[in-house]
Amino acid sequence: ETIKYDACDENNWDVIDGTYPLSNACGQLEQSYQDYTCPEGSEHMQCEVDMNMEQKATTQANWYGAPGPLFCGPKSKHPFVGYWDYSHMCDFPWKDPPELCMDYPGQRGGQAVND
């Protein structure tokens, strides 16, 4: 998948109730990434979870309306995250004023909904 889609980060691809939850950065397919541990014999490579860490992926899928890059951060900064609306249309450069997709380079549709 990394080679096929030229992605160095995990894409948001786990659909739940017809949407792409922004919380998929915490784990897809009912996983909890922060609860991962190293197998026996490799515990010395395991790090403590940094509850204040913030990260944003540098790549994402490129199909029309594809969810933006996954991100994570402390709950104090992101107490609630919604979902990605892949049907949102935002690529109208000819309108006055222009309506453009601004979440990632090359985006032609979709938007984050946090309500």
Side-chain angles (χ1 to χ4, degrees), residues 21-92:
L22 299 178
S23 61
N24 278 349
C26 302
Q28 300 192 78
L29 297 176
E30 300 181 16
Q31 299 175 74
S32 173
Y33 296 154
Q34 79 176 26
D35 294 331
Y36 277 11
T37 58
C38 291
E40 187 175 329
S42 298
E43 298 92 339
H44 63 283
M45 297 189 320
Q46 188 166 307
C47 300
E48 293 294 320
V49 174
D50 179 353
M51 299 304 283
N52 294 309
M53 182 180 78
E54 295 185 53
Q55 290 290 316
K56 183 175 181 179
T58 58
T59 60
Q60 71 290 315
N62 289 314
W63 47 269
Y64 183 89
L70 290 171
F71 67 93
C72 65
K75 285 190 177 188
S76 60
K77 188 170 181 179
H78 305 282
F80 173 82
V81 292
Y83 62 94
W84 184 265
D85 175 7
Y86 58 86
S87 67
H88 176 74
M89 297 175 64
C90 55
D91 191 20
F92 303 107

